[in-house]
Amino acid sequence: MKKLIQLAFVALAIIATSCEKKDDTTLEQTNTDIYGGILDSYVNKTVIPTYKGMKDNSKDLLTKVKALQTNKTDANVVEACKAWQATRKYWEQSEAFLFGPADERNLDPYLDSWPLDLTQLEQVLASNETLSASNISDTKGAQLRGFHTIEYLMFRKGKARAAAEITAREMEYLSGVTEVLRNECVLLYSSWAGAEKGTNDAEILEGIDKSISVPYGPSFVKSGKVGGAYPIQVSAVDQILQGILDIADEVGNQKLGSPHKSGNPLDVESWYSWNSLLDFQDNVRSIKHSYIGGIDAKNTGASLSDIVKKKNPELDKKVLENIELAISKIGAIPSPFRNNLTANEVTVAMEQLNALNDIFTKEVRPIFVK
């Protein structure tokens, strides 16, 4: 997720995106079976399985938090922290596709804004305000909900907090805000995949007065046809590429670059849990999954990689090697990132992310967008 300071530019970005969707004059207006296959595997083998993993784990996270609320032990805090990390893994692996419902329903900032507003959170905790999920959902903004609020309430210095340190009001807020996150994970998944009547997902959506009239996933696959999300297929393919470029730039120049330049640990995402480097590696995996056509390398579908490989096998090999290099360079940064902001390994990883961005910008995208 973009650091919260970027929210000021959301309105401008929406306007810009709207303009981009209308300006398809530079794109090749050709529908092909291979492009249709790419869109299908992107939705059904990458996006929906990723969001399914997130929403299923968010349900487990809520179960673990409720168990902690009932029986406040150190072991139960540890279990809840593990469930937070499992849910977060899928969120980070989704950050190459934050367009569509994540953007249009404002779920990206609600789920993952940082830094959280500690001053306001402490004021809420010190008040007599009801801390139910419905009240948090109705009255609390992005800085008081989502992954990082839950992280703050459960982690300190990279470890689960001692259960005895968690106050009754913190526990109450943790339970409510985790339920809100669960609801929003279900809403995001269902916005792409739909929610069949009678299912647990449909019941959750009904409980928060949300409905899905037309799932975005099938509409994205139908791009180029009547009822499609984009008037021509290559516009949808270009959206996939833009998502890749956005997250490569964000990891290199913001998530790594901003704290590296400022030297301020408060600029680091996930710094209470020390999950930062895993977050960034999963962001790059979202690039890989978008490129190869699936989250399971043994069960991929038609992909951007297929076309690049057909036109230029060496370039495809170069892309895949540089994706793996980006993951490994991030992994080489001494942990925790918040204590090693100026390490040489950070500079190396930033350079690798920028190199990957350049490859997609200058060599891959021109294959698809004339």
Side-chain angles (χ1 to χ4, degrees), residues 197-225:
K197 190 175 181 180
T199 62
N200 178 249
D201 290 350
E203 291 173 1
I204 289 170
L205 294 179
E206 185 177 349
I208 57 174
D209 197 26
K210 299 291 184 183
S211 61
I212 310 298
S213 55
V214 181
Y216 187 75
S219 176
F220 192 79
V221 174
K222 285 178 64 180
S223 291
K225 302 176 182 176

Short mmCIF file of all heavy atoms in Angstrom, two decimals, residues 197-225:
data_model
loop_
_atom_site.label_atom_id
_atom_site.label_comp_id
_atom_site.label_asym_id
_atom_site.label_seq_id
_atom_site.Cartn_x
_atom_site.Cartn_y
_atom_site.Cartn_z
N LYS A 197 -25.04 -16.98 -2.94
CA LYS A 197 -26.05 -16.87 -1.88
C LYS A 197 -26.00 -18.10 -0.97
O LYS A 197 -25.88 -19.23 -1.44
CB LYS A 197 -27.44 -16.74 -2.50
CG LYS A 197 -28.53 -16.39 -1.50
CD LYS A 197 -29.85 -16.15 -2.21
CE LYS A 197 -30.93 -15.77 -1.19
NZ LYS A 197 -32.23 -15.52 -1.87
N GLY A 198 -26.09 -17.87 0.32
CA GLY A 198 -26.09 -18.96 1.28
C GLY A 198 -24.73 -19.30 1.82
O GLY A 198 -24.61 -20.09 2.77
N THR A 199 -23.67 -18.73 1.23
CA THR A 199 -22.32 -19.00 1.72
C THR A 199 -21.98 -18.09 2.90
O THR A 199 -22.65 -17.07 3.13
CB THR A 199 -21.28 -18.79 0.62
OG1 THR A 199 -21.33 -17.41 0.22
CG2 THR A 199 -21.57 -19.68 -0.59
N ASN A 200 -20.94 -18.46 3.61
CA ASN A 200 -20.48 -17.65 4.73
C ASN A 200 -20.07 -16.26 4.25
O ASN A 200 -20.34 -15.25 4.93
CB ASN A 200 -19.30 -18.34 5.42
CG ASN A 200 -18.73 -17.53 6.58
OD1 ASN A 200 -17.62 -17.02 6.49
ND2 ASN A 200 -19.49 -17.40 7.65
N ASP A 201 -19.43 -16.21 3.09
CA ASP A 201 -19.04 -14.89 2.54
C ASP A 201 -20.27 -14.01 2.31
O ASP A 201 -20.27 -12.82 2.64
CB ASP A 201 -18.28 -15.06 1.22
CG ASP A 201 -16.91 -15.68 1.40
OD1 ASP A 201 -16.46 -15.80 2.56
OD2 ASP A 201 -16.30 -16.06 0.39
N ALA A 202 -21.33 -14.60 1.74
CA ALA A 202 -22.55 -13.83 1.47
C ALA A 202 -23.18 -13.35 2.78
O ALA A 202 -23.69 -12.22 2.85
CB ALA A 202 -23.53 -14.68 0.68
N GLU A 203 -23.14 -14.19 3.80
CA GLU A 203 -23.70 -13.80 5.10
C GLU A 203 -22.92 -12.64 5.70
O GLU A 203 -23.50 -11.72 6.28
CB GLU A 203 -23.68 -14.99 6.05
CG GLU A 203 -24.66 -16.10 5.66
CD GLU A 203 -24.50 -17.33 6.52
OE1 GLU A 203 -23.62 -17.32 7.42
OE2 GLU A 203 -25.22 -18.32 6.29
N ILE A 204 -21.58 -12.68 5.55
CA ILE A 204 -20.75 -11.59 6.07
C ILE A 204 -21.08 -10.29 5.33
O ILE A 204 -21.24 -9.23 5.94
CB ILE A 204 -19.26 -11.94 5.94
CG1 ILE A 204 -18.90 -13.04 6.94
CG2 ILE A 204 -18.38 -10.71 6.15
CD1 ILE A 204 -17.52 -13.64 6.74
N LEU A 205 -21.21 -10.37 4.01
CA LEU A 205 -21.53 -9.18 3.23
C LEU A 205 -22.90 -8.63 3.61
O LEU A 205 -23.08 -7.41 3.72
CB LEU A 205 -21.47 -9.49 1.74
CG LEU A 205 -20.10 -9.85 1.17
CD1 LEU A 205 -20.21 -10.15 -0.32
CD2 LEU A 205 -19.10 -8.71 1.39
N GLU A 206 -23.84 -9.52 3.81
CA GLU A 206 -25.18 -9.07 4.21
C GLU A 206 -25.12 -8.37 5.57
O GLU A 206 -25.81 -7.38 5.79
CB GLU A 206 -26.12 -10.28 4.28
CG GLU A 206 -27.56 -9.90 4.56
CD GLU A 206 -28.48 -11.13 4.54
OE1 GLU A 206 -28.03 -12.21 4.12
OE2 GLU A 206 -29.64 -10.99 4.96
N GLY A 207 -24.27 -8.89 6.45
CA GLY A 207 -24.13 -8.29 7.78
C GLY A 207 -23.58 -6.89 7.77
O GLY A 207 -23.80 -6.11 8.70
N ILE A 208 -22.82 -6.56 6.73
CA ILE A 208 -22.27 -5.19 6.64
C ILE A 208 -22.98 -4.40 5.54
O ILE A 208 -22.49 -3.36 5.10
CB ILE A 208 -20.75 -5.21 6.39
CG1 ILE A 208 -20.38 -5.98 5.12
CG2 ILE A 208 -20.03 -5.79 7.60
CD1 ILE A 208 -18.90 -5.90 4.74
N ASP A 209 -24.11 -4.93 5.10
CA ASP A 209 -24.97 -4.24 4.12
C ASP A 209 -24.23 -3.95 2.81
O ASP A 209 -24.31 -2.85 2.27
CB ASP A 209 -25.50 -2.93 4.73
CG ASP A 209 -26.71 -2.40 3.95
OD1 ASP A 209 -27.40 -3.20 3.32
OD2 ASP A 209 -26.94 -1.17 4.00
N LYS A 210 -23.49 -4.96 2.34
CA LYS A 210 -22.80 -4.84 1.05
C LYS A 210 -23.31 -5.92 0.10
O LYS A 210 -23.65 -7.02 0.53
CB LYS A 210 -21.29 -5.00 1.23
CG LYS A 210 -20.63 -3.98 2.12
CD LYS A 210 -20.62 -2.60 1.50
CE LYS A 210 -19.85 -1.62 2.38
NZ LYS A 210 -19.89 -0.23 1.82
N SER A 211 -23.33 -5.60 -1.16
CA SER A 211 -23.74 -6.57 -2.16
C SER A 211 -22.85 -6.45 -3.39
O SER A 211 -22.25 -5.39 -3.63
CB SER A 211 -25.21 -6.37 -2.55
OG SER A 211 -25.39 -5.08 -3.12
N ILE A 212 -22.76 -7.54 -4.14
CA ILE A 212 -21.96 -7.56 -5.36
C ILE A 212 -22.90 -7.80 -6.53
O ILE A 212 -23.39 -8.92 -6.72
CB ILE A 212 -20.89 -8.69 -5.32
CG1 ILE A 212 -20.09 -8.64 -4.01
CG2 ILE A 212 -19.98 -8.58 -6.55
CD1 ILE A 212 -19.29 -7.38 -3.79
N SER A 213 -23.16 -6.78 -7.30
CA SER A 213 -24.08 -6.96 -8.42
C SER A 213 -23.37 -7.60 -9.61
O SER A 213 -23.88 -8.56 -10.21
CB SER A 213 -24.68 -5.60 -8.82
OG SER A 213 -23.65 -4.66 -9.10
N VAL A 214 -22.22 -7.06 -9.98
CA VAL A 214 -21.45 -7.60 -11.10
C VAL A 214 -19.99 -7.78 -10.64
O VAL A 214 -19.28 -6.79 -10.46
CB VAL A 214 -21.48 -6.66 -12.32
CG1 VAL A 214 -20.68 -7.26 -13.47
CG2 VAL A 214 -22.91 -6.39 -12.75
N PRO A 215 -19.53 -9.00 -10.44
CA PRO A 215 -18.12 -9.20 -10.03
C PRO A 215 -17.16 -8.64 -11.08
O PRO A 215 -17.40 -8.75 -12.29
CB PRO A 215 -17.99 -10.72 -9.92
CG PRO A 215 -19.37 -11.24 -9.80
CD PRO A 215 -20.25 -10.28 -10.55
N TYR A 216 -16.08 -8.07 -10.60
CA TYR A 216 -15.13 -7.42 -11.50
C TYR A 216 -14.31 -8.42 -12.31
O TYR A 216 -13.93 -8.15 -13.45
CB TYR A 216 -14.19 -6.54 -10.68
CG TYR A 216 -13.26 -5.67 -11.50
CD1 TYR A 216 -13.73 -4.52 -12.14
CD2 TYR A 216 -11.91 -6.00 -11.63
CE1 TYR A 216 -12.88 -3.73 -12.89
CE2 TYR A 216 -11.06 -5.21 -12.38
CZ TYR A 216 -11.54 -4.07 -13.00
OH TYR A 216 -10.69 -3.28 -13.75
N GLY A 217 -14.03 -9.61 -11.72
CA GLY A 217 -13.16 -10.57 -12.39
C GLY A 217 -13.66 -10.98 -13.77
O GLY A 217 -12.94 -10.86 -14.77
N PRO A 218 -14.91 -11.50 -13.87
CA PRO A 218 -15.42 -11.87 -15.19
C PRO A 218 -15.45 -10.69 -16.16
O PRO A 218 -15.23 -10.86 -17.36
CB PRO A 218 -16.83 -12.38 -14.87
CG PRO A 218 -16.75 -12.86 -13.46
CD PRO A 218 -15.80 -11.90 -12.78
N SER A 219 -15.74 -9.50 -15.63
CA SER A 219 -15.76 -8.31 -16.48
C SER A 219 -14.37 -8.01 -17.02
O SER A 219 -14.22 -7.63 -18.20
CB SER A 219 -16.30 -7.12 -15.67
OG SER A 219 -16.24 -5.94 -16.42
N PHE A 220 -13.36 -8.20 -16.19
CA PHE A 220 -11.98 -7.96 -16.64
C PHE A 220 -11.61 -8.96 -17.74
O PHE A 220 -10.99 -8.59 -18.75
CB PHE A 220 -11.02 -8.08 -15.46
CG PHE A 220 -9.63 -7.59 -15.74
CD1 PHE A 220 -9.33 -6.24 -15.74
CD2 PHE A 220 -8.60 -8.50 -16.02
CE1 PHE A 220 -8.05 -5.79 -16.00
CE2 PHE A 220 -7.31 -8.05 -16.28
CZ PHE A 220 -7.03 -6.69 -16.27
N VAL A 221 -12.01 -10.22 -17.55
CA VAL A 221 -11.72 -11.25 -18.55
C VAL A 221 -12.41 -10.92 -19.88
O VAL A 221 -11.87 -11.19 -20.96
CB VAL A 221 -12.16 -12.64 -18.05
CG1 VAL A 221 -12.00 -13.69 -19.14
CG2 VAL A 221 -11.34 -13.05 -16.82
N LYS A 222 -13.59 -10.31 -19.80
CA LYS A 222 -14.37 -10.00 -21.01
C LYS A 222 -13.90 -8.73 -21.71
O LYS A 222 -14.54 -8.29 -22.68
CB LYS A 222 -15.85 -9.85 -20.65
CG LYS A 222 -16.56 -11.17 -20.38
CD LYS A 222 -18.01 -10.95 -19.99
CE LYS A 222 -18.80 -10.32 -21.11
NZ LYS A 222 -20.22 -10.12 -20.72
N SER A 223 -12.85 -8.13 -21.26
CA SER A 223 -12.35 -6.90 -21.91
C SER A 223 -12.23 -7.13 -23.42
O SER A 223 -11.78 -8.18 -23.87
CB SER A 223 -10.99 -6.51 -21.34
OG SER A 223 -11.12 -6.09 -20.00
N GLY A 224 -12.66 -6.12 -24.16
CA GLY A 224 -12.68 -6.25 -25.61
C GLY A 224 -14.01 -6.73 -26.14
O GLY A 224 -14.22 -6.75 -27.36
N LYS A 225 -14.90 -7.14 -25.22
CA LYS A 225 -16.23 -7.61 -25.61
C LYS A 225 -17.28 -6.76 -24.89
O LYS A 225 -16.96 -6.00 -23.96
CB LYS A 225 -16.41 -9.09 -25.24
CG LYS A 225 -15.38 -10.01 -25.86
CD LYS A 225 -15.55 -11.44 -25.37
CE LYS A 225 -14.48 -12.35 -25.96
NZ LYS A 225 -14.57 -13.73 -25.41
#
